């Protein structure tokens, strides 16, 4: 019996020894295998591995971010990746907790590989969860790529993930790895990285994400194409609830919190981002061109390596602009509200029954044909087909074939409608829409606060703020008055007669006599102060002033005011025949509000690289043009426009005005009571309507007109600047004043300490005689 027991013990001992040998054999074999795998990987057997330098500086495409002066993101420039990195400290704790609870619960305990998770995945064939850690998922996103369907390649990829994950863990902290992972993931719909995802799906920055919102985004990490919150709402909501359950399971939420959050309906606030969507679209396209020019002149430092020039689509630049997002929104709304109403009236007046040549007026059929021919040859369709080698006949034929298309429409909520028409008809259709432009600037700094280049960038991509130039009309007259006050020492109270005035031939470079008429064709014969004459935009008085001061001094002042286009030194410029754009006009008028100092408009204050290194900082460009006295006298003159002239409707509230003009003077009555200096402008045949409006710390210019000068209202009632452009300024300023945080001034303009120019028109001072004496001296002066 004892012998039998001894034999059993011996066999047991031998069996245990065998198991022990197997265990250690397998253990050392496993260790050797892992060692060999890492060694083979180092030798490149499994493909190229990232170098230390690449691990330290992984290449990710970063979008250039455009920031407003109040810290809001106006938009981004990118090719494929709309990515702006977020630091770990800016990730909400609920997002990190949801990530760890769902993707890698032992994240803080391993060094890149979770062996417990790996063994579980092997034992249950992945049925109870995978084994990829957050570090491995980051390795896949950065260096490995999409999992191959080939088994051998998939295993090889997994091995590379392990190796890279452990190396990442050595190079980065746990917090840095989480931030990198959340910044690299593609959430779909151009939502590259957590910041874009938070903005696009919930309309907020990452720190503001609620628990249930973070759970949605973490749930999408499993497969953002499958768990798409726009297309598969129920599936994504179920996935969100799974994430919330995981958070409760691991102690990040109580069961009560979990239940209440799971009961909530998923609330997606979808805000797609693209180059053609979002605020300040015209400004962003201008900025894109500006940046490309800046890049040409400012290459990367030699130490930067890689690309020689900065890439606005890949290098993650931060561009700090002067645009105020709140004022920009106010400007865009003002333009849209008024133009929608104005366009309705224009359509009403230009039905085929009322105007057979709509949208053109006063043109012969041949003139219209030439306009359409030019538009056709300038179209994208013509250029593309020509580049494809199509014959001219084929191209022309394509313009007469009907096709389905989406066109602009003010009546639609989306401002678009689907229709069928020929491309040629679509050209004419778009020419029926009046265009608009608006720019607002702080005169003391030149900082541009709002920029609206048109009514809808998607359909009207021509930027009328800076690309276009149209006749200035009566908005040019203040420059004539400024020259007279500056050179002849006129005052706003000096008087001239309202008679038709002719400048004889061959005087001031004029080959023929020039006898401009008042807009109503009438002359009172009465004496008018300069202030009253400018307020009522009287051509007879302006003609006398340009004759007395001469065109040359006027052109000289205009050039110093930033209007650098070629201007003929002839008397007719006094009535605004030269073409200028809104950008130039706002800069020029800003000189009056800034005590005679011209400040070039500024749009960009600073550019930084992705690391915060300052690459560019602007330097103001200024020029002393007028004395403080002359500038203040001009402000006084322009205040008269809104106190008793063409801009008076900014202030009054009369039933007759409201009844007659309510269909076009959007938002009337305005009832402003604060000091406002301004000038309306209307060109021949009502082709252009202008309004330049100023308060002490904000100068704004508005232009409205057709693409072609032949597209206009029939009469001055609707086509004047006070009807077409002034309402946009009024709507904009009303909104600005409603937001006290903007700090828009409602006080008096700053007066100089000493004022020798008479502004009190109750004091009768006959300075006309003095002017005549000065004329002889003026003829001898050089400009």
């Amino acid at each position: 019996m004892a012998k039998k027991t001894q034999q059993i013990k011996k066999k047991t001992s031998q069996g245990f020894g065998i198991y022990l040998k197997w265990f250690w054999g397998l253990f050392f074999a496993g260790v050797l295998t892992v060692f060999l795998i890492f060694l083979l990987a180092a030798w490149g057997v499994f493909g190229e591995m990232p170098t230390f330098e690449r691990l330290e500086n992984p290449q990710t495409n970063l979008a250039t971010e455009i920031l407003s002066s109040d810290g809001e993101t106006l938009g981004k420039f990118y090719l494929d990746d709309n990515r702006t990195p977020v630091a770990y400290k800016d990730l909400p704790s609920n997002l990190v907790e949801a990530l760890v609870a769902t993707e890698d619960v032992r994240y803080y305990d391993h060094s890149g590989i979770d062996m417990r998770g790996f063994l579980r995945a092997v034992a249950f064939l992945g049925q109870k969860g995978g084994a990829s850690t957050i570090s491995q998922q980051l390795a896949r996103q950065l260096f490995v790529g999409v999992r191959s369907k080939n088994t051998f390649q998939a295993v090889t990829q997994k091995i590379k993930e392990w190796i890279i994950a452990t190396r990442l863990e050595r190079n980065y902290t746990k917090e840095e790895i989480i931030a990198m992972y959340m910044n690299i993931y593609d959430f779909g719909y151009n939502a590259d990285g957590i910041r874009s995802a938070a903005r696009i799906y919930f309309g907020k920055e990452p720190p503001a994400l609620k628990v249930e919102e973070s759970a949605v985004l973490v749930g999408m990490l499993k497969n953002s194409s499958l768990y798409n919150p726009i297309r598969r709402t129920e599936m994504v909501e179920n996935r969100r609830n799974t994430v919330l359950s995981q958070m409760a399971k691991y102690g990040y939420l109580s069961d009560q919190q979990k239940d209440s959050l799971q009961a909530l309906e998923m609330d997606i606030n979808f805000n797609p981002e693209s180059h053609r969507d979002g605020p300040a679209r015209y400004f962003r396209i201008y900025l894109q061109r500006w940046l490309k020019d800046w890049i040409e002149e400012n290459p990367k430092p030699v130490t930067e390596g890689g690309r020689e020039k900065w890439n606005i689509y890949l290098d993650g630049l931060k561009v700090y602009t002067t645009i105020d997002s709140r004022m920009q929104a106010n400007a865009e709304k003002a333009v849209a509200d008024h133009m929608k109403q104005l366009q309705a009236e224009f359509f009403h007046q230009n039905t085929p029954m009322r105007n057979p040549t709509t949208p053109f007026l006063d043109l012969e059929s041949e003139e219209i044909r030439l306009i359409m021919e030019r538009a056709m040859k300038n179209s994208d369709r013509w250029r593309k087909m020509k580049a494809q080698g199509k014959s001219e006949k084929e191209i022309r034929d394509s313009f007469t074939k009907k096709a389905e298309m989406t066109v602009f429409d003010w009546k639609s909520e989306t401002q678009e409608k689907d229709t069928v028409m020929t491309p040629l008809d679509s050209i004419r259709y778009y020419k029926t829409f009046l265009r608009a432009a608006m720019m607002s600037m702080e005169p003391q700094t030149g900082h541009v606060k709002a920029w609206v280049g048109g009514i809808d960038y998607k359909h009207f991509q021509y930027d009328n703020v800076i690309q276009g130039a149209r006749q200035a009309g009566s908005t040019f007259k203040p420059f004539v008055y400024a020259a007279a006050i500056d050179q002849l020492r006129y005052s706003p109270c000096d008087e001239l007669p309202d008679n038709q005035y002719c400048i004889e031939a061959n005087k001031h470079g004029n080959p023929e006599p020039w006898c401009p008429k008042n807009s109503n064709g009438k002359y009172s014969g009465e004496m008018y102060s300069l202030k009253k004459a400018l307020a009522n935009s009287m051509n007879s008085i302006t003609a006398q002033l340009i004759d007395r001061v001469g065109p040359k001094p006027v052109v000289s002042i205009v050039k110093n005011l930033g209007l650098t286009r070629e201007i003929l030194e002839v008397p007719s410029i006094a009535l605004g025949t030269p073409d200028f754009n809104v950008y130039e006009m706002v800069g020029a008028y800003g000189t009056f509000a800034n005590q005679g100092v011209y400040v070039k408009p500024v749009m960009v204050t600073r550019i930084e690289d992705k690391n915060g290194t300052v690459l560019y900082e602007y330097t103001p460009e200024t020029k002393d043009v007028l004395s403080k006295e002359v500038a203040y006298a001009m402000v006084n003159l322009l205040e008269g426009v809104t106190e008793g002239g063409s801009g008076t409707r900014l202030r009054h509230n009369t039933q007759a005005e409201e009844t007659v003009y309510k269909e076009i003077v959007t938002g009337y009555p305005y009832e402003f009571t604060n000091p406002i200096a301004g000038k309306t402008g209307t060109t021949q045949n009502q082709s252009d309507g202008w309004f330049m409006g100023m308060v002490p710390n904000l100068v704004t210019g508005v232009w409205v007109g057709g693409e072609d000068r032949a597209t206009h209202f029939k009469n001055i009632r609707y086509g004047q600047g006070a009807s077409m452009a002034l309402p946009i300024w009024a709507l904009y300023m009303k909104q600005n004043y409603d937001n006290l945080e903007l700090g828009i001034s409602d006080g008096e303009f700053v007066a100089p300490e000493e004022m020798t120019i008479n502004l009190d028109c109750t004091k009768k001072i006959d300075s006309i005689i003095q002017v005549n004496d000065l004329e002889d001296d003026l003829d001898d002066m050089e400009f």
Side-chain angles (χ1 to χ4, degrees):
M1 184 70 179
K3 187 177 180 181
K4 187 175 182 181
T5 301
Q6 191 175 4
Q7 289 177 342
I8 292 172
K9 285 182 178 180
K10 187 178 180 181
K11 287 183 178 180
T12 302
S13 177
Q14 289 175 343
F16 180 74
I18 293 171
Y19 287 133
L20 198 60
K21 288 179 181 179
W22 271 104
F23 170 78
W24 285 111
L26 289 173
F27 174 78
F28 285 115
V31 171
L32 182 61
T33 300
V34 171
F35 175 77
L36 285 173
I37 287 173
F38 276 75
L39 183 63
L40 291 171
W43 290 344
V45 173
F46 301 117
E48 183 183 0
M49 299 292 285
T51 63
F52 174 80
E53 289 74 17
R54 283 189 66 197
L55 285 173
E56 283 290 307
N57 299 284
Q59 287 294 320
T60 55
N61 295 335
L62 301 178
T64 287
E65 184 176 14
I66 308 162
L67 294 163
S68 68
S69 61
D70 55 319
E72 297 295 321
T73 298
L74 295 174
K76 299 177 185 178
F77 297 132
Y78 57 90
L79 292 178
D80 299 314
D81 297 340
N82 177 22
R83 180 178 293 104
T84 304
V86 176
Y88 180 83
K89 64 182 177 61
D90 295 322
L91 297 177
S93 58
N94 59 52
L95 179 74
V96 176
E97 291 164 357
L99 174 65
V100 172
T102 307
E103 296 295 323
D104 192 353
V105 71
R106 285 176 290 278
Y107 176 67
Y108 295 104
D109 300 325
H110 62 68
S111 298
I113 301 174
D114 180 9
M115 292 308 299
R116 285 177 58 185
F118 172 70
L119 293 172
R120 182 198 61 216
V122 172
F124 296 97
L125 301 177
Q127 295 300 312
K128 292 192 177 184
S132 288
T133 63
I134 293 172
S135 306
Q136 288 174 239
Q137 293 180 48
L138 175 60
R140 183 190 310 159
Q141 292 283 334
L142 287 175
F143 304 111
V144 179
V146 180
R147 178 77 72 238
S148 174
K149 294 181 179 179
N150 180 284
T151 304
F152 176 76
Q153 289 180 349
V155 171
T156 301
Q157 287 177 323
K158 192 66 178 178
I159 292 170
K160 290 177 71 173
E161 285 175 21
W162 285 350
I163 297 167
I164 296 171
T166 58
R167 292 170 66 182
L168 287 171
E169 291 270 356
R170 289 199 300 269
N171 286 15
Y172 298 98
T173 65
K174 291 287 187 180
E175 290 75 18
E176 288 173 331
I177 288 173
I178 285 178
M180 290 170 69
Y181 180 53
M182 295 308 297
N183 283 323
I184 198 68
Y185 193 80
D186 180 359
F187 291 87
Y189 294 106
N190 284 331
D192 298 299
I194 188 62
R195 182 155 187 249
S196 294
R199 289 169 55 86
I200 289 173
Y201 291 115
F202 297 107
K204 59 181 65 174
E205 295 294 331
L209 288 171
K210 299 176 182 178
V211 176
E212 63 273 22
E213 294 168 341
S214 291
V216 169
L217 296 177
V218 169
M220 293 175 67
L221 294 173
K222 188 172 184 179
N223 184 333
S224 59
S225 296
L226 180 64
Y227 293 98
N228 183 321
I230 307 304
R231 295 182 178 179
R232 300 183 180 93
T233 306
E234 185 177 350
M235 178 185 288
V236 176
E237 188 169 314
N238 290 337
R239 177 64 182 162
R240 176 204 69 176
N241 292 342
T242 299
V243 174
L244 294 171
S245 295
Q246 288 293 104
M247 293 179 74
K249 179 179 178 180
Y250 292 106
Y252 295 115
L253 295 175
S254 67
D255 287 338
Q256 185 178 359
Q257 288 175 316
K258 178 202 72 173
D259 293 339
S260 62
L261 290 172
Q262 287 181 335
L264 295 174
E265 287 189 11
M266 190 170 64
D267 185 17
I268 298 295
N269 178 17
F270 190 50
N271 297 276
E273 292 183 357
S274 76
H275 299 304
R276 293 194 176 189
D277 295 318
R281 284 164 289 184
Y282 288 94
F283 172 74
R284 285 188 280 128
I285 296 303
Y286 162 78
L287 182 61
Q288 190 177 40
R289 294 194 299 269
W290 186 92
L291 281 171
K292 287 179 178 179
D293 291 340
W294 177 82
I295 284 168
E296 290 297 323
E297 299 172 3
N298 297 271
K300 285 186 177 183
V302 177
T303 55
E304 191 68 30
R307 291 180 290 264
E308 294 181 0
K309 296 179 180 178
W310 294 103
N311 191 312
I312 64 173
Y313 307 108
L314 304 175
D315 286 338
L317 303 178
K318 283 187 181 296
V319 182
Y320 294 85
T321 74
T322 60
I323 298 293
D324 186 294
S325 66
R326 300 159 296 182
M327 296 172 73
Q328 180 67 29
N330 292 344
E332 291 179 1
K333 186 176 188 305
V335 169
D337 287 351
H338 177 60
M339 293 306 295
K340 181 177 182 179
Q341 189 164 323
L342 187 69
Q343 189 66 49
E345 178 60 30
F346 186 79
F347 280 150
H348 175 71
Q349 294 185 20
N350 284 275
T351 61
M353 289 289 290
R354 293 187 175 95
N355 178 17
T357 60
T358 187
F360 310 110
L361 283 172
D362 308 320
L363 291 185
E364 300 294 332
S365 57
E366 178 60 17
E367 293 174 301
I368 294 173
R369 188 193 69 78
L370 290 174
I371 289 175
M372 296 299 294
E373 175 80 5
R374 184 169 59 250
M376 184 169 60
K377 289 187 174 181
N378 288 335
S379 68
D380 288 338
R381 171 182 287 268
W382 186 283
R383 284 195 295 269
K384 288 177 181 178
M385 293 187 72
K386 189 174 182 180
Q388 293 170 359
K390 303 290 185 182
S391 67
E392 183 169 327
K393 183 179 184 306
E394 289 176 306
I395 298 174
R396 288 184 180 279
D397 288 345
S398 75
F399 277 88
T400 59
K401 294 178 182 177
K402 287 189 175 183
E404 294 181 355
M405 60 181 71
T406 301
V407 296
F408 180 78
D409 180 25
W410 275 120
K411 296 179 182 178
S412 169
E413 288 186 11
T414 61
Q415 295 185 358
E416 287 184 328
K417 69 176 181 181
D418 294 327
T419 188
V420 176
M421 64 173 71
T422 68
L424 194 60
D425 287 340
S426 74
I427 290 174
R428 191 157 188 155
Y429 172 77
Y430 276 107
K431 284 184 177 293
T432 64
F433 286 94
L434 297 173
R435 316 298 168 88
M438 175 182 182
M439 191 179 102
S440 196
M441 183 191 79
E442 190 177 76
Q444 291 76 23
T445 62
H447 287 193
V448 174
K449 294 298 180 181
W451 177 305
V452 184
I455 57 176
D456 182 273
Y457 179 76
K458 183 176 180 181
H459 293 276
F460 305 92
Q461 295 179 15
Y462 192 79
D463 187 346
N464 292 286
V465 165
I466 199 164
Q467 286 181 302
R470 297 292 286 258
Q471 282 190 343
S474 294
T475 57
F476 188 89
K477 289 177 181 176
F479 307 138
V480 179
Y481 281 67
I485 294 173
D486 183 56
Q487 302 294 333
L488 304 178
R489 304 304 292 173
Y490 270 34
S491 90
C493 302
D494 288 336
E495 296 180 342
L496 290 171
D498 175 26
N499 295 320
Q500 184 167 24
Y501 190 84
C502 288
I503 298 177
E504 62 267 28
N506 301 316
K507 187 179 183 182
H508 304 309
N510 212 40
E512 297 179 358
W514 185 62
C515 305
K517 297 179 181 179
N518 283 337
S519 60
N520 60 6
K522 299 177 181 178
Y523 308 91
S524 66
E526 299 176 1
M527 299 297 289
Y528 272 77
S529 70
L530 297 192
K531 188 169 186 177
K532 186 177 180 181
L534 183 62
N536 292 281
S537 207
M538 299 180 69
N539 293 341
S540 59
I541 306 298
T542 308
Q544 294 176 62
L545 289 178
I546 191 95
D547 187 22
R548 290 174 183 273
V549 74
K552 191 170 185 177
V554 175
V555 171
S556 177
I557 283 181
V558 165
K559 297 272 187 184
N560 285 327
L561 292 174
L563 303 172
T564 57
R565 296 171 188 270
E566 190 66 32
I567 305 172
L568 295 176
E569 294 178 359
V570 295
S572 61
I573 64 172
L575 304 188
T577 55
D579 288 359
F580 301 109
N581 58 40
V582 175
Y583 170 89
E584 296 167 319
M585 292 295 286
V586 171
Y589 269 69
T591 308
F592 300 141
N594 192 35
Q595 299 186 299
V597 179
Y598 168 77
V599 182
K600 186 177 180 179
V602 176
M603 283 70 73
V604 178
T605 57
R606 190 169 80 255
I607 301 174
E608 295 177 357
D609 68 11
K610 63 183 179 182
N611 299 315
T613 303
V614 177
L615 306 175
Y616 166 84
E617 217 159 6
Y618 90 105
T619 302
E621 296 183 41
T622 64
K623 183 187 292 186
D624 291 337
V625 180
L626 303 170
S627 69
K628 291 182 179 180
E629 282 192 279
V630 173
Y632 190 69
M634 287 305 305
V635 168
N636 180 269
L637 279 169
L638 293 166
E639 283 182 302
V641 174
T642 68
E643 292 167 353
S646 56
T648 312
R649 66 179 57 167
L650 288 171
R651 303 193 179 282
H652 62 53
N653 178 6
T654 64
Q655 189 66 36
E657 181 90 350
E658 186 171 4
T659 301
V660 173
Y661 290 113
K662 64 181 181 180
E663 68 269 26
I664 55 169
V665 186
T666 314
Y668 181 86
Y670 309 117
E671 300 180 284
F672 289 101
T673 58
N674 57 293
I676 299 171
K679 186 68 189 81
T680 59
T682 309
T683 61
Q684 190 172 12
N685 297 326
Q686 302 79 241
S687 293
D688 307 275
W690 289 82
F691 183 71
M692 305 297 300
M694 302 189 295
V695 297
N697 64 350
L698 195 67
V699 177
T700 305
V702 182
W703 168 85
V704 175
E707 180 184 17
D708 302 284
R709 296 183 193 272
T711 301
H712 57 81
F713 281 103
K714 290 181 179 179
N715 58 57
I716 197 73
R717 172 182 169 184
Y718 296 96
Q720 62 181 300
S723 297
M724 292 210 294
L726 178 145
I728 293 176
W729 187 91
L731 293 171
Y732 169 65
M733 292 301 291
K734 292 285 276 188
Q735 293 177 85
N736 286 343
Y737 281 126
D738 286 343
N739 187 345
L740 297 179
E741 291 183 1
L742 295 176
I744 306 302
S745 173
D746 59 359
E748 300 284 344
F749 287 86
V750 178
E753 294 180 3
E754 293 185 12
M755 191 71 192
T756 61
I757 299 174
N758 178 39
L759 302 181
D760 184 0
C761 295
T762 61
K763 297 179 181 179
K764 283 289 182 180
I765 301 176
D766 186 7
S767 60
I768 300 300
I769 297 174
Q770 297 172 10
V771 168
N772 291 332
D773 292 338
L774 283 170
E775 279 188 292
D776 295 332
D777 296 333
L778 190 64
D779 289 337
D780 297 329
M781 294 175 66
E782 293 184 2
F783 301 94

